[in-house]
Amino acid sequence: MDGVDSVNAARQWRLLEVFGLAAVGVSLFAVMVINATVIPPVLIFGIIYLALGYAVYRWIDRPRVALAAAVLGLLGLLGNVPFLIEDLAHLDSWGSFAPSAVSVVLGVTGIIAGLISYFLPSMAGSRPFGLAAVALAVVVAVGSVGASLSASSDAAEAGDVEVLASGVEYPETLAADAGLIAFHLRNEDLVRHTFVIGTADVKLEVPASKDRRVEVELAAGEYRYICDVPGHERMEGTLTVR
């Protein structure tokens, strides 16, 4: 491969890096749109990835910029591993799973492309590599939607305490009689939630757009319930058991 072809190959890898980093940023913004709330850490990381993509594009002929962006992008993904694992463990909640899966697939693609552009600039194959990554991202996203649609819901029973999750909010108050209490959780959002009563050792996973039911023995008193999914901090309320 002559010098011109080598330069063009390196530029193609860097353009793929731009695409991958920008895709992560867009995926993170999609998370906030789907959750209908601004999540400060997600917002910050989204801006950072978009800025990294822009930097590589702006200085596309500077290999060190591409290398620095790839390293910073990798550190960002590694720093988010605990949150990504939680989302990727719930295939049946596409609003949580799909953006995380797409960001991982395309983010890793961009990072690898940036490293190749620096260490193996004359290497060919950026286009098929990029197309394969996009195809994989589409497959996992569509698979998550399919899993979400096929997941079943729990039916409510007479006497259940109905708990509605809508707009990433729970009702502020609930009430029930002491003894065995059955909660029926109805999730109208496109993302998963949890129903946690910490002092009662209750944690119920509620997939996107599904219903779940749980029974628990509670004595009289007041209990705080929350959703402990990161970014859902406003989902909380007080349960009064009479």
Side-chain angles (χ1 to χ4, degrees):
M1 182 177 290
D2 60 32
V4 174
D5 289 338
S6 179
V7 170
N8 287 336
R11 286 173 64 89
Q12 291 301 314
W13 283 112
R14 289 179 196 130
L15 286 174
L16 182 56
E17 180 183 14
V18 170
F19 171 74
L21 295 173
V24 175
V26 171
S27 296
L28 292 174
F29 278 94
V31 168
M32 293 186 289
V33 171
I34 293 171
N35 280 274
T37 186
V38 175
I39 307 172
V42 175
L43 176 63
I44 292 171
F45 274 102
I47 293 172
I48 288 173
Y49 275 96
L50 289 175
L52 290 175
Y54 173 76
V56 176
Y57 182 77
R58 175 67 176 80
W59 293 287
I60 197 166
D61 292 320
R62 298 185 183 182
R64 291 184 179 179
V65 173
L67 177 62
V71 172
L72 291 173
L74 177 59
L75 292 176
L77 282 181
L78 292 176
N80 281 283
V81 163
F83 307 105
L84 292 170
I85 289 176
E86 190 71 17
D87 285 340
L88 296 178
H90 298 87
L91 180 66
D92 55 0
S93 293
W94 75 266
S96 304
F97 180 92
S100 294
V102 169
S103 67
V104 170
V105 171
L106 298 184
V108 170
T109 298
I111 291 165
I112 293 175
L115 295 175
I116 289 175
S117 77
Y118 185 84
F119 293 105
L120 300 168
S122 61
M123 180 176 172
S126 59
R127 178 169 296 182
F129 184 73
L131 291 175
V134 170
L136 177 59
V138 171
V139 167
V140 296
V142 172
S144 178
V145 172
S148 295
L149 293 175
S150 62
S152 61
S153 286
D154 294 345
E157 298 184 13
D160 286 357
V161 176
E162 289 288 342
V163 185
L164 176 65
S166 181
V168 197
E169 290 185 352
Y170 274 145
E172 294 183 358
T173 59
L174 295 171
D177 294 326
L180 184 63
I181 305 172
F183 296 94
H184 183 254
L185 282 291
R186 184 156 54 95
N187 184 2
E188 292 187 343
D189 294 331
L190 299 177
V191 294
R192 72 181 185 91
H193 294 306
T194 61
F195 182 68
V196 180
I197 306 176
T199 54
D201 195 27
V202 173
K203 180 172 180 177
L204 179 67
E205 289 282 347
V206 190
S209 305
K210 301 299 176 183
D211 300 349
R212 288 292 181 266
R213 188 175 184 273
V214 64
E215 295 181 347
V216 58
E217 189 85 27
L218 293 177
E222 287 194 346
Y223 300 82
R224 179 171 174 262
Y225 54 87
I226 64 170
C227 171
D228 66 357
V229 174
H232 296 188
E233 286 76 15
R234 68 184 184 185
M235 297 185 70
E236 60 179 357
T238 300
L239 167 68
T240 301
V241 180
R242 302 179 291 263

